Structure formats: structure tokens, C-alpha cells
């Protein structure tokens, strides 16, 4: 059992450790190799009602003394990483989660430096990690830099859509009728990448400061025959403590007042620029009701009436737009488009819109 009442369990088909006996006598421990095959690690957080499990874990770890420090190497690959409510089916599953890390620690293991290391999730995502953990024995403080490799955006979005994060909530919710099916949004092409810094006390994760920047380049979007965007580019950056980021989009189990949402948005910095080109949209319209100005004669009953209930769709083509965000405002919206052969332009701004949208 861990100090915060979480429980950590480990089982394995086979564990092999090769160490130097003389290093134990000299009190400079050297582990030539520690190998795990078919391992399972389960972390249970009874307070939050959640369970994290690594299944099919294989690992190779080594450590050797160098002067007044230790150098460590760790390679691990889990067939599955799963997150679930305790006793429930996994709500989130990641396949082939790997870690390849080089670390260095002082003689007392009170400081650990994470040299350039790599975290990967199948062929969907990979990132380099650097940083350090200080005051390990008393009040561990984490300072990390995470930089992802550019990857196609579409597969990431599709995998995230498969997560059932609502099932991880401990709040009891009434059964809600499923909404009618909607036209799915397809994302093709494009490259997504980001860089983030995380710093703070490990025992107070919501107090950790997070800053990040990233971009999406040359993505295309389509929603059936209703809408398409030939190209989208976006850049974004932000900074704030995790507690504030969490407060931006409260879940239904913890509703927030408009004042609380406003305070959360004031506590973070978020800037973004979004450019779209070659947009085409089809907007369905209802026919005017009988007797309304310009409605014309009432349609006949039956099939004729049903056909008359729908006006010809409005088609918007060759749309081009730029949106500039500086929280909590959308400070600039501008663009142009065609309806038929008639050109239109627009521009504007929306003050304090982000808290309202939350």
C-alpha cells in the first residue's frame, strides 16, 4: 500500500536479476540486468474508485555506480495499458505502450535526472521526455519537458473517440437516452505535434504548472455531404496550473457557476490561431409556413405537402477564414465565401465567449 492509500500489485511469469556481490559489499549497488517477462502491474486508487493496469509487461533494467552517482537504463513494453472504474470493464485501453529511458541519480537517490527518453503508444503517438525529480525522499518535485513527434492527426482523434471517460466518474448518473445519430466528422492528412513543460510537487498534482505549445498542419475535414474543409492549419499555446485547466470544462457531476468558469479562464493563458481554406457547406432550410410572408400558396396534402416542407439547401462554397483566440476572448474572426456566384466577406470578435462556451 502506498502512502496515499493507493495499492500497487505486481505479478510476473518470470523475473531474473543479475547483480554484483562485490558492489553490495562496497555499498555501491550494481544491477547488471533485471528482466521481467509476462508481468502485470495494477495500481488501485480506492479514493477515486479507479484502477490502472499494465498487462503483458516485458522490461529490462540495469544500474551501475559512476563516481558519486548511479546511471540507470530502463526499457519496458506493455501489451496493454488499461484504465477502469474498480470492478468494471476498461474505459480506456492503449496497446503497445513503451518506455525507453536513461536516468541518473545521486548516491542517496534523492535526485533523479531523466535524460532524453522516449514514451510511445503503438504507432499512434511518441514523445521525448527530459527533466528531473528532486527531493525524492521528502517532497518530490517534478520538472519535465515532453516533446512529441509529429504524427497524423486523424488516427489520434479516432482512438480518443473510443475512450469512454464518463465511465471513470464516481458520480451516479441517471440513464440518458442516446442522442440521434449525427454525421461523423472525418479528419484526414495533417500532422500534429506539441511541446509541454510540467513543474510542481508530486503530492499536489493539481497544483502543477503546465505550459504548452503545438500545431496542426494541413489537415482536411469532412462531415458527410454537409461540410468539408480542404485545409486547416492551427497553432496554439497556453499556461496555467492543472486545477485551473480542470475548471475550464467541469463535468456534469461538478457543475460550475458562470462566476467560477470566469475565474478559471482568468487563471490560464490560451492563445490560438486557426486558418481554414476551401470550405464548402450545405445548410438545410425549412420551407416558410403557409400564410407567412413570401410563403406562396399552401402545398397540397400527401406527398406534395411532404415535398413542399423542405426548401432548397443553401450552399456556401470557397470559404476561407481566420480565427484568433486570446482567452477569454475570440479577438478576431475574418473571412470570405461565396453563395452561388455572389461573394461575401465578414469580420468581427466575441468578447468573453470562451467561459460562455464552457
Amino acid at each position: 500500500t502506498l502512502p496515499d492509500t493507493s495499492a500497487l500489485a505486481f505479478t510476473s511469469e518470470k523475473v531474473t536479476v543479475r547483480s554484483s556481490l562485490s558492489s553490495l559489499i562496497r555499498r555501491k549497488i550494481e544491477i547488471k540486468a533485471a528482466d521481467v517477462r509476462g508481468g502485470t502491474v495494477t495500481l488501485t486508487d480506492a479514493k477515486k474508485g479507479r484502477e490502472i493496469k499494465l498487462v503483458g509487461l516485458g522490461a529490462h533494467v540495469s544500474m551501475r555506480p559512476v563516481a558519486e552517482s548511479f546511471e540507470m537504463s530502463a526499457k519496458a513494453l506493455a501489451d496493454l495499458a488499461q484504465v477502469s472504474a474498480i470492478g468494471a470493464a476498461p474505459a480506456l485501453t492503449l496497446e503497445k505502450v513503451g518506455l525507453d529511458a536513461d536516468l541518473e541519480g545521486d548516491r542517496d537517490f534523492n535526485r533523479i535526472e531523466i535524460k532524453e527518453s522516449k514514451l510511445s503508444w503503438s504507432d499512434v503517438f511518441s514523445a521525448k521526455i527530459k527533466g528531473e525529480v528532486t527531493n525524492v525522499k521528502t517532497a518530490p518535485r517534478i520538472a519535465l519537458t515532453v516533446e512529441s513527434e509529429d504524427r497524423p492527426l486523424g488516427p489520434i482523434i479516432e482512438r480518443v473517440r473510443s475512450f469512454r471517460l464518463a465511465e471513470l466518474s464516481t458520480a451516479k448518473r441517471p440513464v440518458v437516452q442516446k442522442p440521434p445519430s449525427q454525421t461523423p466528422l472525418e479528419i484526414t492528412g495533417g500532422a500534429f505535434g506539441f511541446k509541454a513543460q510540467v513543474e510542481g510537487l508530486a503530492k499536489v498534482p493539481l497544483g502543477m504548472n503546465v505550459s504548452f505549445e503545438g500545431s496542426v498542419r494541413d489537415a482536411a475535414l469532412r462531415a458527410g455531404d454537409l461540410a468539408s474543409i480542404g485545409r486547416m492549419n492551427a497553432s496554439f499555446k497556453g499556461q496555467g496550473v492543472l486545477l485551473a485547466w480542470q475548471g475550464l470544462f467541469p463535468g456534469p457531476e461538478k457543475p460550475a457557476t458562470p462566476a467560477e468558469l470566469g475565474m478559471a479562464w482568468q487563471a490560464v493563458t490560451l492563445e490560438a490561431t486557426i486558418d481554414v481554406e476551401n470550405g464548402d457547406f450545405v445548410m438545410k432550410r425549412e420551407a416558410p409556413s403557409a400564410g407567412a410572408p413570401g410563403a406562396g400558396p399552401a402545398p397540397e396534402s400527401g406527398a406534395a405537402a411532404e415535398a413542399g416542407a423542405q426548401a432548397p439547401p443553401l450552399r456556401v462554397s470557397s470559404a476561407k477564414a481566420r480565427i484568433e483566440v486570446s482567452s477569454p476572448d475570440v479577438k478576431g474572426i475574418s473571412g470570405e465565401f461565396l453563395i452561388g456566384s455572389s461573394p461575401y466577406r465578414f469580420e468581427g470578435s466575441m468578447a468573453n465567449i470562451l467561459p460562455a462556451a464552457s
Side-chain angles (χ1 to χ4, degrees):
T1 302
L2 301 178
D4 62 354
T5 72
S6 297
L8 181 67
F10 169 74
T11 61
S12 179
E13 295 176 3
K14 186 177 182 179
V15 177
T16 304
V17 179
R18 292 191 295 115
S19 182
S20 168
L21 181 59
S22 62
S23 72
L24 298 176
I25 297 173
R26 298 194 313 268
R27 295 186 179 180
K28 290 188 174 182
I29 301 173
E30 179 179 1
I31 299 176
K32 295 183 177 181
D35 295 288
V36 175
R37 188 179 70 188
T40 299
V41 177
T42 305
L43 176 64
T44 303
D45 187 335
K47 186 176 180 180
K48 295 183 178 180
R50 295 176 189 171
E51 187 174 85
I52 301 174
K53 181 178 289 188
L54 300 178
V55 182
L57 178 65
H60 175 84
V61 179
S62 63
M63 180 176 72
R64 67 187 185 95
V66 178
E68 295 301 313
S69 64
F70 291 90
E71 290 183 350
M72 293 164 279
S73 174
K75 298 179 185 293
L77 179 65
D79 290 336
L80 297 173
Q82 300 173 326
V83 183
S84 65
I86 295 176
L92 183 159
T93 298
L94 308 179
E95 301 84 4
K96 299 298 181 183
V97 176
L99 175 67
D100 188 346
D102 291 317
L103 307 98
E104 184 174 316
D106 62 14
R107 186 170 183 177
D108 297 324
F109 287 100
N110 199 41
R111 175 184 176 273
I112 298 175
E113 179 186 357
I114 303 170
K115 298 183 176 180
E116 190 161 296
S117 303
K118 183 177 180 180
L119 178 68
S120 61
W121 166 28
S122 188
D123 60 351
V124 177
F125 172 83
S126 64
K128 296 177 181 178
I129 302 174
K130 295 177 67 175
E132 65 177 5
V133 182
T134 55
N135 299 325
V136 174
K137 296 181 179 180
T138 54
R141 176 173 287 275
I142 298 172
L144 296 179
T145 297
V146 182
E147 184 173 3
S148 76
E149 297 179 359
D150 284 356
R151 293 294 176 123
L153 180 61
I156 297 175
I157 296 295
E158 288 303 310
R159 291 308 313 275
V160 171
R161 282 176 177 169
S162 71
F163 300 161
R164 303 187 304 277
L165 300 182
E167 296 180 11
L168 299 176
S169 172
T170 56
K172 293 182 179 179
R173 301 184 182 182
V175 177
V176 179
Q177 183 129 15
K178 289 185 178 180
S181 60
Q182 300 177 346
T183 303
L185 179 65
E186 300 175 14
I187 301 176
T188 57
F192 167 73
F194 74 91
K195 183 177 182 180
Q197 290 81 37
V198 181
E199 190 274 332
L201 292 173
K203 292 182 179 180
V204 192
L206 291 180
M208 288 188 178
N209 186 69
V210 178
S211 59
F212 59 86
E213 59 183 49
S215 65
V216 176
R217 302 191 307 275
D218 297 328
L221 295 80
R222 174 173 291 277
D225 296 327
L226 298 179
S228 66
I229 294 175
R231 176 182 294 177
M232 181 188 75
N233 291 300
S235 61
F236 52 88
K237 62 181 179 179
Q239 183 273 329
V241 298
L242 276 176
L243 180 62
W245 289 112
Q246 185 184 62
L248 299 186
F249 304 99
E253 69 276 8
K254 291 184 179 180
T257 65
E260 290 171 334
L261 288 171
M263 289 178 63
W265 277 103
Q266 291 295 335
V268 303
T269 300
L270 177 64
E271 297 183 5
T273 301
I274 304 170
D275 290 290
V276 298
E277 300 177 14
N278 300 326
D280 290 283
F281 307 90
V282 176
M283 291 179 275
K284 295 181 179 180
R285 298 182 295 167
E286 295 290 334
S289 59
E300 300 176 6
S301 59
E306 186 175 345
Q310 194 96 48
L314 182 67
R315 296 185 178 275
V316 176
S317 61
S318 302
K320 181 179 180 180
R322 164 168 278 215
I323 303 172
E324 298 177 72
V325 174
S326 181
S327 62
D329 308 323
V330 174
K331 67 179 183 180
I333 307 173
S334 61
E336 57 190 46
F337 58 90
L338 296 175
I339 297 181
S341 58
S342 301
Y344 294 84
R345 294 179 179 271
F346 62 91
E347 62 180 29
S349 62
M350 292 182 284
N352 211 37
I353 187 64
L354 298 180
S358 298

